[in-house]
């Protein structure tokens, strides 16, 4: 078996930063290296969230680095290292594993990001960006109605979705989407001319907006819509640097 090549922690950080350009974004937490581990890196594990289950799986896989969309630190959080935070950090530090996390930069990346990759999985070619920091994507589509669209989304993602249909049934000629907790982008999607909006979550007020504006709303799961960006970007960078990469998907019904 051939041994993987190694790279330096700083070189890996520079490669991630060059792709994702975190300095362009106003974000809710630090992007980049969140927990420093060993300097030499040969194996990367990617995942959606830096949960204890993902960290344990990365330890078992003998990973030198973990690359995630949801890291450990967020603006406004309690800074104490107790309970679940202590347990996650303890494992990372005990095994000298680097944790890299990129939030909005990973949503926005035009090729490897969550939105670009969700579009790929659903078979759509985006031709428009919308919403705050241009995070939303939109594309032409062709579905008889929201029921047909919902069936397509559910089959592609392998899970049931929450679907709110408008009062007046209409064909879906244009879809807009933004992964994760982007229900607040719904009005921007409506303004952008969408017939339907797909995201991860739904809040109470979007139901009424969907019924009243004639634009369908599909909440397909925060985790389910954000499973594709981290492995795509990590695989791309790992291949370029000659590193091993493995995506570990921790089940999450939310």
């Amino acid at each position: 078996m051939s041994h993987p090549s190694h790279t330096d922690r700083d070189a890996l950080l520079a490669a991630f930063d060059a792709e994702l350009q975190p300095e362009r974004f106003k974000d809710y937490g630090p992007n980049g290296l969140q927990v420093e581990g060993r300097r030499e890196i040969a194996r990367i594990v990617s995942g959606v969230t830096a949960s204890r289950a993902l960290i344990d799986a990365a330890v078992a896989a003998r990973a030198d680095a973990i690359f995630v969309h949801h890291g450990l630190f967020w603006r406004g959080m309690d800074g104490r290292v107790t309970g679940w935070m202590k347990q996650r950090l303890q494992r990372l530090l005990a095994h000298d594993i680097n944790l890299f996390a990129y939030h909005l930069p990973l949503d926005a990346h035009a090729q490897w990001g969550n939105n670009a990759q969700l579009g790929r999985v659903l078979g759509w070619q985006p031709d428009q960006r919308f919403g705050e920091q241009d995070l939303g994507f939109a594309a032409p589509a062709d579905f008889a109605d929201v029921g047909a669209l919902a069936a397509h989304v559910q089959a592609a993602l392998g899970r049931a979705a929450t679907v709110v249909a408008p009062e007046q049934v209409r064909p879906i000629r244009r879809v807009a989407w933004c992964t994760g907790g982007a229900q607040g982008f719904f009005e921007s999607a409506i303004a952008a001319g969408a017939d339907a909006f797909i995201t991860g979550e739904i809040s109470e007020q979007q139901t009424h907006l969907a019924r009243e504006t004639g634009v369908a709303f599909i909440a397909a799961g925060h985790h389910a819509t954000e499973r594709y960006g981290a492995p795509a970007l990590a695989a791309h960078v790992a291949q370029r640097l000659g590193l091993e990469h493995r995506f570990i998907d921790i089940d999450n019904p939310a």
Side-chain angles (χ1 to χ4, degrees):
M1 179 179 161
S2 65
H3 290 285
S5 60
H6 292 71
T7 195
D8 179 85
R9 181 202 315 119
D10 294 339
L12 182 56
L13 176 60
F16 285 143
D17 279 350
E19 282 288 348
L20 293 166
Q21 302 181 317
E23 66 281 355
R24 291 177 43 227
F25 296 87
K26 186 177 182 336
D27 213 336
Y28 311 104
N31 288 298
L33 182 65
Q34 287 198 347
V35 179
E36 186 178 300
R38 65 181 65 97
R39 179 162 290 285
E40 292 263 295
I41 295 169
R43 291 185 185 87
I44 304 172
V45 158
S46 64
V48 177
T49 298
S51 62
R52 198 173 75 200
L54 179 69
I55 295 167
D56 285 343
V59 169
R62 305 202 325 280
D64 304 303
I66 301 173
F67 178 89
V68 295
H69 180 48
H70 302 131
L72 291 183
F73 307 108
W74 302 97
R75 192 173 66 211
M77 72 186 289
D78 188 323
R80 288 173 290 190
V81 181
T82 59
W84 60 268
M85 177 62 85
K86 180 247 183 178
Q87 291 169 23
R88 293 183 192 183
L89 277 173
Q90 184 176 47
R91 285 161 166 78
L92 289 168
L93 296 171
H95 295 276
D96 215 13
I97 297 174
N98 296 276
L99 176 66
F100 296 89
Y102 291 84
H103 187 232
L104 297 183
L106 188 63
D107 288 322
H109 194 281
Q111 184 176 4
W112 309 113
N114 284 321
N115 284 307
Q117 290 295 311
L118 181 63
R120 177 188 62 78
V121 168
L122 294 173
W124 300 331
Q125 295 290 327
D127 61 6
Q128 181 188 3
R129 304 284 287 264
F130 70 92
E132 189 184 337
Q133 303 187 70
D134 278 341
L135 292 170
F137 284 46
D142 187 15
F143 296 91
D145 54 29
V146 66
L149 170 61
H152 171 70
V153 170
Q154 291 174 145
L157 300 187
R159 79 185 294 285
T162 299
V163 182
V164 182
E167 291 163 354
Q168 300 294 320
V169 176
R170 74 189 203 198
I172 307 297
R173 298 287 175 251
R174 190 153 188 80
V175 290
W177 69 95
C178 192
T179 64
Q183 57 267 56
F185 278 49
F186 189 30
E187 287 180 86
S188 296
I190 295 167
D195 299 305
F197 178 61
I198 298 96
T199 187
E201 304 178 15
I202 186 168
S203 299
E204 189 271 348
Q205 63 265 36
Q206 280 91 42
T207 294
H208 305 293
L209 281 177
R211 290 171 179 164
E212 294 168 22
T213 63
V215 179
F217 191 105
I218 297 176
H222 194 130
H223 178 88
T225 57
E226 295 196 328
R227 290 177 63 239
Y228 305 105
L233 192 286
H236 170 67
V237 169
Q239 182 178 35
R240 219 175 70 217
L241 297 176
L243 310 176
E244 284 186 15
H245 165 256
R246 178 179 163 201
F247 172 56
I248 297 178
D249 193 18
I250 305 298
D251 181 60
N252 188 336

